[in-house]
Amino acid sequence: MIPADLKAALERRAADALNPREAAVDVLKSLQTHYGWLTDQAMDEAACITGLSPLQLEELATFYDMLYRRPVGRHVIHACDSISCWNMGGSSLMRSLEMLLGVAAGETTPDGLFTLLPCSCLGNCGAAPAMMISNRPYGPVTAETAAALLKEIRGSGPFPS
Ligand code: FES
């Protein structure tokens, strides 16, 4: 259950929207930040707050790359697999990340620290191949810079999301 102040803020966000759909992604993202991922309870709360049906919210939550309907690790790595990044070695970067993390795309490391996800264009095409870790953009990323970044994060303790 979300705290009363968060619930009130999200209800205000929904009430200020011309259409509840306009606020739905913001509400889902806030609930995801609270729970770590969009649990069934979060989806029920989003339906109550926005007045949208569970199906409408499910469609949103499973469409957007940055919304997670399954548990994720503490740091989510989004590696772009759209055209500019693909042209600049994105698939090789993905293979490097899989090797460095010891998991396949879509999986979470056994220690729960990282989840590796392919994603659509991050809007950082000029720095292809690009990726994001915990909402921070990086690019162009080589196997070496990816290794250095992961090492830094593993050794750095808390990393703001
Ligand atoms: S194609 Fe990768 S950031 Fe745009």
Side-chain angles (χ1 to χ4, degrees):
M1 188 144 170
I2 54 174
D5 58 338
L6 175 58
K7 186 170 184 234
L10 296 179
E11 284 171 345
R12 274 196 306 279
R13 173 70 185 92
D16 288 345
L18 292 177
N19 184 306
R21 285 172 179 267
E22 183 189 315
V25 171
D26 288 348
V27 169
L28 289 172
K29 283 215 77 166
S30 295
L31 291 168
Q32 176 171 278
T33 300
H34 177 75
Y35 287 108
W37 60 287
L38 289 170
T39 61
D40 289 344
Q41 181 175 346
M43 297 300 285
D44 289 344
E45 287 167 337
C48 285
I49 290 166
T50 61
L52 295 174
S53 73
L55 177 60
Q56 287 171 310
L57 289 164
E58 198 67 43
E59 286 169 348
L60 283 174
T62 53
F63 176 79
Y64 287 110
D65 289 339
M66 310 290 162
L67 295 174
Y68 317 127
R69 273 298 270 132
R70 287 192 225 162
V72 290
R74 198 159 132 228
H75 306 291
V76 179
I77 302 172
H78 288 277
C80 176
D81 66 359
S82 291
I83 187 69
S84 298
C85 289
W86 182 81
N87 258 340
M88 297 300 286
S91 49
S92 141
L93 172 60
M94 179 60 89
R95 279 196 301 278
S96 298
L97 288 166
E98 288 176 330
M99 272 182 35
L100 289 163
L101 295 167
V103 296
E107 294 179 348
T108 298
T109 54
D111 61 4
L113 196 54
F114 295 102
T115 296
L116 176 62
L117 298 176
C119 69
S120 302
C121 180
L122 291 166
N124 197 15
C125 315
M131 68 180 191
M132 254 183 10
I133 305 177
S134 293
N135 297 319
R136 290 185 188 185
Y138 296 95
V141 184
T142 63
E144 292 73 27
T145 54
L149 272 170
L150 297 182
K151 187 175 173 195
E152 186 186 323
I153 293 168
R154 280 187 168 121
S156 70
F159 186 79
S161 53

